[in-house]
Amino acid sequence: MIDDAHPLDAGIWLRPARLSDAASRAEALTRSRTYMKPWEPARPESFYTEEGQRERLAGLLAEREAGRVMPWVLSDSEDRVVGGFNLNAIVFGSFQSAVLGYWVDVECAGRGLATAAVRRICELARDELRLHRIEAGTVLHNTASQRVLAKCGFEEFAVAPRYVHIDGEWRDHRLFHRILHDNPATGVV
């Protein structure tokens, strides 16, 4: 089920984000700040605080209630956050699509956790949300993220010039997508 915790690796779980994750999430993001800088937008200092993450999570959870976002975290055996994954811009009807975004704590990078989480999220998106398609974008030189997407069945379909403001500049992005099923659209009016 989409609201369950899903084991990914020894001691690592993918589970829905909670407001109580704010402090742990702020710690992981602070720890990983330099590591993620080339792939992230410029963030205010408040983003790296417990209060900043509480505000961010409150917004994500409100969007989840509205059916527009599905936020998850990776948590370790002590329930500390070590990554974040979102299905953003969820649209139902005849589109049935979403945009995937994710990050993994620098201390857990390179262990295959992003690949395992993205695979599980694709299953949940197909089976629980009934989405047809997921998109994702990466900065051109983010080869690690591109490998994750390729391992999970995503295909590159375009390069978008000056697509997202990352690390202080408008950056070109490789755009990927994965078709989850070709069933008829549900709930189309």
Side-chain angles (χ1 to χ4, degrees):
M1 301 290 294
I2 204 151
D3 289 323
D4 293 342
H6 305 272
L8 298 181
D9 188 5
I12 303 291
W13 295 77
L14 176 71
R15 63 164 174 77
R18 305 184 292 242
L19 198 56
S20 60
D21 292 324
S24 180
R25 191 173 153 113
E27 290 170 10
L29 287 164
T30 298
R31 187 170 45 248
S32 303
R33 187 175 185 172
T34 301
Y35 168 71
M36 294 191 314
K37 186 178 184 299
W39 330 119
E40 288 284 305
R43 308 279 193 188
E45 287 303 314
S46 62
F47 180 81
Y48 299 95
T49 67
E50 181 177 351
E51 184 56 35
Q53 285 306 302
R54 187 174 319 287
E55 288 175 19
R56 171 91 170 122
L57 285 164
L60 288 170
L61 295 174
E63 288 293 297
R64 179 185 175 182
E65 287 301 312
R68 293 186 289 263
V69 171
M70 183 62 214
W72 289 276
V73 297
L74 292 183
S75 63
D76 66 12
S77 58
E78 298 172 16
D79 206 28
R80 292 180 317 141
V81 173
V82 294
F85 291 74
N86 292 340
L87 281 179
N88 300 298
I90 297 172
V91 177
F92 293 102
S94 60
F95 196 51
Q96 291 184 273
S97 295
V99 177
L100 175 68
Y102 57 90
W103 61 274
V104 174
D105 189 315
V106 64
E107 292 181 354
C108 295
R111 291 178 39 189
L113 296 173
T115 301
V118 169
R119 282 187 180 134
R120 186 65 186 129
I121 288 168
C122 287
E123 292 169 2
L124 293 167
R126 180 192 64 219
D127 300 340
E128 302 288 329
L129 297 174
R130 306 283 191 242
L131 295 180
H132 164 71
R133 180 174 192 260
I134 297 177
E135 294 183 18
T138 73
V139 175
L140 295 182
H141 58 282
N142 190 347
T143 55
S145 193
Q146 292 163 17
R147 280 193 304 273
V148 166
L149 294 169
K151 288 179 194 176
C152 294
F154 284 75
E155 299 173 344
E156 183 177 340
F157 70 92
V159 172
R162 297 179 303 282
Y163 190 61
V164 180
H165 201 262
I166 298 289
D167 193 23
E169 293 183 31
W170 289 101
R171 305 278 180 178
D172 297 351
H173 276 59
R174 294 189 190 287
L175 302 182
F176 297 83
H177 71 144
R178 177 175 168 186
I179 304 298
L180 302 173
H181 67 77
D182 283 324
N183 301 331
T186 57
V188 178
V189 220

